[in-house]
Amino acid sequence: MSPVVAFVGLGRMGGPMADHVIRAGFTTRVFDLDPGAVSARVDAGGSAAADTADAARGADVLCCGVFDEAQAAAVLDEALPVLAAGAVVTLHTTVSEDGVRVLAERAAEAGAPLLDAGISGGEAGAR
């Protein structure tokens, strides 16, 4: 069975990254505040989630592509309690070095290693 990937944050960079995950054949649940961004991923083969927790529930991987550190912290608040045991969090958000450490510690306390996986090349690189 394919790992379940939750992708939260489907903006200019997160959307194209989620598209790659979907095209690679992973079961992918997506959430964003923009319904159009979610619809585009559903049309590509992803599954819409009602909110962050719904996307993350039982997921093996959580990809966080939201705007900033505060949004990333909010995603972790909702996602960490419902991820699958042994899940991994990948952070694709611009976060300070100290912020990454704090988020990684929170994730580790919940049993989910967090990888700081920044995106280079902006929107073009994500595509």
Side-chain angles (χ1 to χ4, degrees), residues 33-124:
L33 296 176
D34 175 4
V38 173
S39 292
R41 270 77 236 174
V42 169
D43 290 346
S47 299
D51 55 31
T52 296
D54 186 38
R57 190 165 284 104
D60 302 294
V61 178
L62 168 65
C63 298
C64 180
V66 295
F67 180 70
D68 61 17
E69 192 169 322
Q71 289 181 358
V75 167
L76 291 186
D77 287 345
E78 294 183 44
L80 289 174
V82 299
L83 287 170
V88 174
V89 176
T90 60
L91 182 64
H92 310 291
T93 303
T94 301
V95 175
S96 70
E97 194 173 315
D98 289 337
V100 169
R101 284 189 189 102
V102 169
L103 295 173
E105 288 171 8
R106 285 179 53 202
E109 288 171 4
L114 182 142
L115 304 173
D116 184 16
I119 307 163
S120 66
E123 185 177 356

Side-chain angles (χ1 to χ4, degrees), residues 5-54:
V5 177
F7 211 111
V8 178
L10 304 170
R12 292 179 306 141
M13 294 190 287
M17 291 174 58
D19 293 339
H20 291 300
V21 173
I22 293 165
R23 277 195 302 273
F26 292 97
T27 300
T28 308
R29 292 194 300 259
V30 297
F31 177 71
D32 193 278
L33 296 176
D34 175 4
V38 173
S39 292
R41 270 77 236 174
V42 169
D43 290 346
S47 299
D51 55 31
T52 296
D54 186 38

